[in-house]
Amino acid sequence: MSSDNTGRTAVVTGASKGIGAGIAKALAGSGAAVVVNYRTDAEGAERVVAEITAKGGRALAVRADVAKGEEGVRELFARARAAYGPVDILVNNAGVVAFGPLTELTEEEFHRETTTNMLAPMLTTKALAAQEDVTAASVVNVSTGGTLSHPAYASLYVATKSALEAYTIIAAKELGPRGIRVNAVQPGASDTEGTRAAGYVGSELEARAIAATPLGRSGTPGDYGPLVAFLASEDARWITGALVLASGGSR
Ligand SMILES: NC(=O)c1ccc[n+]([C@@H]2O[C@H](COP(=O)([O-])OP(=O)(O)OC[C@H]3O[C@@H](n4cnc5c(N)ncnc54)[C@H](OP(=O)(O)O)[C@@H]3O)[C@@H](O)[C@H]2O)c1
């Protein structure tokens, strides 16, 4: 049985490519009208929208840098509501990463990762909760399996995602009485535009990660959409504050 999100409105941050694009397509396939948020890649976002609409789904690309503060987030929600009505599915997928030894940490990188991976999901969740006409909703935060494996050379990134997981659990407690569920998924290392650009795909590091993965491969953007569509749907009505590992068994 596949999940049904018919009649609902989803905002997926960072959906112009990679895991976010896979999630946007799956949510549209489950019946939701989807706002495909992007920061710079208008072409990628329009490609995702075209793929969804070609299959009879509803989607709209909206540019907003969610790490830039409340103004952009408010504009994103205003555009989503104007197009499709109250937002009742929010997927906080936009994320940035840089690997390197902790001795090379810069304050600039600290601010880049904390604003995108922590502040942005907090502001979008606040915006979702600020909608007084929403009585039931689902937020899914995209974390990482790295919060379990704690890999060396990812201290800042994993610290930001661990904070996102703590926020997920606390937000579930605060928003549960309003019928708003908040969960997180923990993807394993995956083949995306982002990890290709970072030189991970095809590297020795990837080969070692695959060897340590029971299901014997890297993740793909398509691996996460069905899980998120389920967590967003009424089928997951009793699930909130959960951190769901989806990593082919790697941990
Ligand atoms: N790939 C992996 O191995 C892996 C593993 C575990 C967790 N994750 C998590 O999964 C999520 C997606 O990863 P990915 O590899 O698919 O990333 P990706 O290929 O690098 O794509 C990142 C997406 O996020 C968007 N984005 C970044 N900053 C943004 C901002 N400030 N405002 C709006 N959009 C923004 C980008 O938009 P533009 O291109 O338009 O700028 C792009 O659509 C991230 O949260 C990442 O931490 C990934």
Side-chain angles (χ1 to χ4, degrees):
M1 190 182 79
S2 49
S3 308
D4 184 8
N5 289 303
T6 304
R8 302 182 64 197
T9 300
V11 168
V12 184
T13 67
S16 59
K17 54 169 70 75
I19 290 172
I23 291 170
K25 290 178 212 170
L27 283 172
S30 73
V34 180
V35 169
V36 175
N37 162 248
Y38 68 99
R39 181 188 48 179
T40 53
D41 185 6
E43 212 175 288
E46 290 300 348
R47 236 187 340 261
V48 174
V49 168
E51 230 180 282
I52 290 172
T53 51
K55 289 184 176 157
R58 293 195 300 161
L60 171 73
V62 175
R63 203 201 81 77
D65 184 337
V66 291
K68 277 276 158 66
E70 265 185 311
E71 206 176 308
V73 169
R74 263 200 296 265
E75 171 71 13
L76 173 62
F77 272 71
R79 295 276 307 275
R81 288 176 61 90
Y84 300 128
V87 177
D88 52 7
I89 299 173
L90 167 65
V91 182
N92 286 309
N93 166 80
V96 289
V97 62
F99 298 108
L102 60 83
T103 49
E104 288 175 14
L105 174 75
T106 63
E107 285 185 43
E108 189 188 13
E109 184 58 22
F110 176 86
H111 292 301
R112 189 179 80 99
E113 291 192 40
T114 53
T115 52
T116 310
N117 301 352
M118 292 167 58
L119 177 63
M122 293 182 188
L123 293 179
T124 53
T125 303
K126 179 181 168 185
L128 176 121
Q131 301 173 110
E132 284 170 8
D133 50 0
V134 166
T135 51
S138 172
V139 178
V140 181
N141 293 322
V142 179
S143 181
T144 173
T147 58
L148 299 171
S149 58
H150 296 110
Y153 309 114
S155 57
L156 172 59
Y157 174 67
V158 172
T160 65
K161 293 293 192 177
S162 295
L164 177 62
E165 292 183 1
Y167 178 77
T168 299
I169 295 165
I170 294 169
K173 290 180 182 175
E174 287 190 30
L175 299 178
R178 280 195 49 197
I180 302 173
R181 296 181 296 102
V182 188
N183 293 293
V185 296
Q186 300 166 313
S190 303
D191 183 343
T192 65
E193 287 87 338
T195 49
R196 279 178 184 263
Y200 173 80
V201 176
S203 69
E204 180 55 31
L205 199 62
E206 186 193 36
R208 269 190 271 130
I210 291 173
T213 300
L215 294 183
R217 63 173 176 83
S218 286
T220 68
D223 288 334
Y224 306 101
L227 170 61
V228 173
F230 163 72
L231 286 173
S233 77
E234 180 63 13
D235 288 342
R237 59 189 167 274
W238 197 229
I239 303 175
T240 194
L243 311 175
V244 184
L245 178 65
S247 66
S250 162
R251 59 192 303 143

